[in-house]
Amino acid sequence: MSKPVSNPQQTGANQQWGGRFAEGPSAIMQAINASVAFDAKMWRQDIRGSLAHAAMLSHVGIISAEDEAAIRQGLDAIAAQIEAGAFEWSEALEDVHMNIEARLTERIGEAGKRLHTARSRNDQVATDFRLWVRDAMDGLAAQQLEVIRILARRAEEHADTIMPGYTHLQPAQPTTFGHHLLAYAEMLWRDRGRMLDARARLNECPLGAAAMCGTGFPIDRQMTAAALGFDQPARNSLDAVGSRDFALEFLAACAICATHLSRLAEEIVIWTNPAFGFVSLPDNLTTGSSIMPQKRNPDAAELVRGKTGRVTGALVGLLTVVKGLAMTYAKDLQEDKEGVFDAAETLTLCLAASAAMLRDLRPNAERMAAAAGAGFSTATDLADWLVRELRMPFRDAHHVTGRLVARAEALGLDLAGLSLAEMQAVEPRIHEGIFGVLTASASVASRRSHGGTAPENVRAMAREWRERIRCGE
Ligand code: ARG
């Protein structure tokens, strides 16, 4: 008499892999093992991957065309059900992959059970996750471009708006608000470049690596790779299922971008402080205080700054997960997703909030100009004048200027307020011409060197940005 085949349904063992198991997982095993609560987010990618896999299996004759048609209809129906919020996810089925596969088999029977031929959840999850991250990269890169577009537009508007430039957050040299904004355009442009570079390396298809060593079935990996929009199949099956550096690169690109937005947010916090008063935000981008009626808080900026911690945390978290893993797949890798999902969602929000603030912030040109002239900010211009007009070596000019600043400070004046006689007491060769370089507007207008702060440079650069953005689309 042949031994009866044990039925996992009767023993309570997992329907998808429970053949050798006499009993199902304990509650704690199920709780620590299940990922469906978060990986259900990849259902679209999972169905897309399964459709491509089934089409390929049928194309090479591993499953019949009828089975493939049944799988396709079944998966389409499941997709509609999930979309409508009518799909019941089961923790007992662990993850998105087994939930969908089990439901497919429930719907279409035998054909559903053939879908997993020449495939493992290891290559399946690696494929789904790459597809998800790739979509996130595309969305974020588009948002980055939108922020750059706003920066360029506002920079053009404020090419002549003089503001103080800082080093050490101390008055250094006058600059313009436009030039300042274009500095962020450069940073965001590189952020977008990092996203797109990472995308290019990500875009290889793990599907067909199966559990880790490939398969004996005559699959066509070029076909599935092309169907899923990948440039090529991943070359090494072990690497395909065991590596997550595509996610690490994504997180690094997110963390650097979030860090740039955080710096901008910090500046908005500073600029909106009434002691500075450089910029104001509209009511709809600020909040009030429940106790202090006068308050207007830049919470959106503070949160962009604060949320950066989560994004950086996700990068450090995944680096830590991966660092000790022997090749190839280990369940630790299931921990790759939540951080990535959270980082992507957080950065999406931060980019949107930054775009809104940049679009609607109102610079106060008078306040900025007044501050730009203060703090002896044209001292470098004075030193440069001594070099140009008196052929003084720069080190000596620096020293003479330092003495003039000290003199002005002692008299409670700014540099332009010093009389010619006072100046000549320090350096007798100084003449009237010096007063032409001591204003903030003369200072910025003079800085026409490549990449410098002069309004005409900023206007030309803003125009270049418009062109670059058009080509980037
Ligand atoms: N839920 C799993 C993950 O996200 C899918 C892969 C499971 N593979 C396995 N051999 N148990 O990583």
Side-chain angles (χ1 to χ4, degrees):
M1 234 172 65
S2 63
K3 260 176 80 193
V5 178
S6 80
N7 180 346
Q9 247 133 10
Q10 278 162 17
T11 62
N14 187 293
Q15 290 167 40
Q16 309 295 308
W17 46 251
R20 65 166 288 184
F21 287 75
E23 58 175 351
S26 69
I28 190 65
M29 181 63 225
Q30 179 167 312
I32 195 170
N33 201 34
S35 55
V36 67
F38 52 87
D39 66 19
K41 212 185 270 301
M42 302 193 302
W43 68 266
R44 280 197 179 79
Q45 291 75 12
D46 194 67
I47 288 180
R48 195 172 164 204
S50 288
L51 288 169
H53 183 65
M56 181 278 292
L57 290 177
S58 141
H59 180 77
V60 300
I62 297 172
I63 63 172
S64 68
E66 296 73 51
D67 282 348
E68 195 244 328
I71 289 171
R72 202 173 343 111
Q73 280 156 20
L75 288 173
D76 285 348
I78 289 171
Q81 212 182 10
I82 301 174
E83 191 88 69
F87 188 93
E88 249 180 64
W89 300 98
S90 150
E91 195 191 62
L93 289 167
E94 277 184 46
D95 55 24
V96 62
H97 323 291
M98 295 206 297
N99 266 272
I100 291 176
E101 192 192 322
R103 185 62 46 84
L104 179 69
T105 299
E106 254 169 54
R107 291 185 78 103
I108 68 169
E110 281 290 307
K113 295 197 215 163
R114 295 187 198 282
L115 171 62
H116 212 51
T117 315
R119 184 177 80 167
S120 152
R121 268 187 300 154
N122 295 351
D123 60 339
Q124 189 178 357
V125 72
T127 304
D128 293 0
F129 196 32
R130 277 185 195 237
L131 290 173
W132 195 94
V133 172
R134 194 177 69 185
D135 286 347
M137 286 170 160
D138 290 342
L140 289 167
Q143 276 189 291
Q144 286 165 331
L145 200 62
E146 177 58 18
V147 174
I148 295 166
R149 192 196 318 276
I150 297 166
L151 285 165
R153 197 173 64 230
R154 304 244 42 197
E156 197 163 17
E157 210 181 297
H158 289 284
D160 296 288
T161 305
I162 292 172
M163 75 180 289
Y166 299 118
T167 61
H168 312 262
L169 199 57
Q170 302 294 319
Q173 296 176 340
T175 182
T176 67
F177 193 54
H179 197 50
H180 198 107
L181 292 178
L182 288 186
Y184 282 102
E186 298 285 349
M187 293 184 243
L188 264 293
W189 183 256
R190 289 191 296 275
D191 291 339
R192 178 173 173 274
R194 269 181 279 275
M195 207 55 94
L196 299 179
D197 289 349
R199 187 196 196 280
R201 269 184 297 281
L202 164 149
N203 210 27
E204 294 182 348
C205 186
L207 199 59
M212 62 180 285
C213 286
T215 174
F217 289 101
I219 58 172
D220 183 345
R221 292 195 58 206
Q222 303 289 344
M223 183 176 165
T224 42
L228 297 172
F230 288 109
D231 296 329
Q232 62 201 48
R235 282 184 296 272
N236 180 300
S237 62
L238 311 184
D239 172 53
V241 297
S243 297
R244 291 295 182 272
D245 51 283
F246 67 88
L248 290 171
E249 280 198 80
F250 170 66
L251 289 174
C254 288
I256 296 172
C257 181
T259 299
H260 286 158
L261 297 179
S262 178
R263 293 184 71 172
L264 172 63
E266 165 66 4
E267 297 209 287
I268 292 174
V269 170
I270 293 172
W271 293 337
T272 53
N273 180 308
F276 280 76
F278 291 176
V279 148
S280 61
L281 287 169
D283 285 357
N284 65 12
L285 288 173
T286 49
T287 61
S289 157
S290 54
I291 175 170
M292 297 168 283
Q294 87 287 7
K295 286 300 285 287
R296 175 200 279 282
N297 296 326
D299 300 45
E302 294 163 69
L303 285 162
V304 168
R305 189 178 58 187
K307 283 174 186 293
T308 300
R310 299 202 352 216
V311 182
T312 306
L315 170 62
V316 176
L318 186 56
L319 282 167
T320 312
V321 166
V322 175
K323 79 169 274 292
L325 291 188
M327 287 295 274
T328 52
Y329 177 86
K331 200 60 173 263
D332 311 46
L333 290 177
Q334 183 166 283
E335 290 295 313
D336 57 1
K337 291 174 205 68
E338 284 164 290
V340 164
F341 294 158
D342 186 65
E345 280 157 24
T346 302
L347 187 57
T348 300
L349 195 54
C350 289
L351 282 163
S354 302
M357 287 189 285
L358 287 167
R359 200 180 294 123
D360 294 342
L361 58 74
R362 289 184 298 259
N364 183 330
E366 292 79 57
R367 291 287 299 223
M368 285 200 219
F376 312 106
S377 65
T378 54
T380 316
D381 301 270
L382 195 160
D384 289 349
W385 186 90
L386 297 173
V387 170
R388 255 192 335 268
E389 294 292 316
L390 310 183
R391 314 217 60 79
M392 208 181 264
F394 181 76
R395 274 288 151 244
D396 295 344
H398 187 286
H399 189 75
V400 168
T401 307
R403 290 183 55 203
L404 290 168
V405 167
R407 188 70 194 131
E409 197 168 33
L411 296 172
L413 301 168
D414 57 22
L415 283 172
L418 278 181
S419 68
L420 189 57
E422 286 283 358
M423 295 207 196
Q424 286 170 339
V426 174
E427 167 51 60
R429 289 177 296 159
I430 293 180
H431 59 76
E432 281 289 343
I434 197 155
F435 293 102
V437 300
L438 296 182
T439 63
S441 56
S443 172
V444 296
S446 75
R447 297 184 185 278
R448 277 181 303 243
S449 58
H450 186 90
T453 208
E456 60 186 274
N457 278 15
V458 174
R459 260 188 293 276
M461 201 48 78
R463 278 194 298 276
E464 259 185 49
W465 273 112
R466 245 189 279 141
E467 194 48 36
R468 198 168 298 136
I469 292 162
R470 220 188 342 269
C471 298
E473 281 167 341

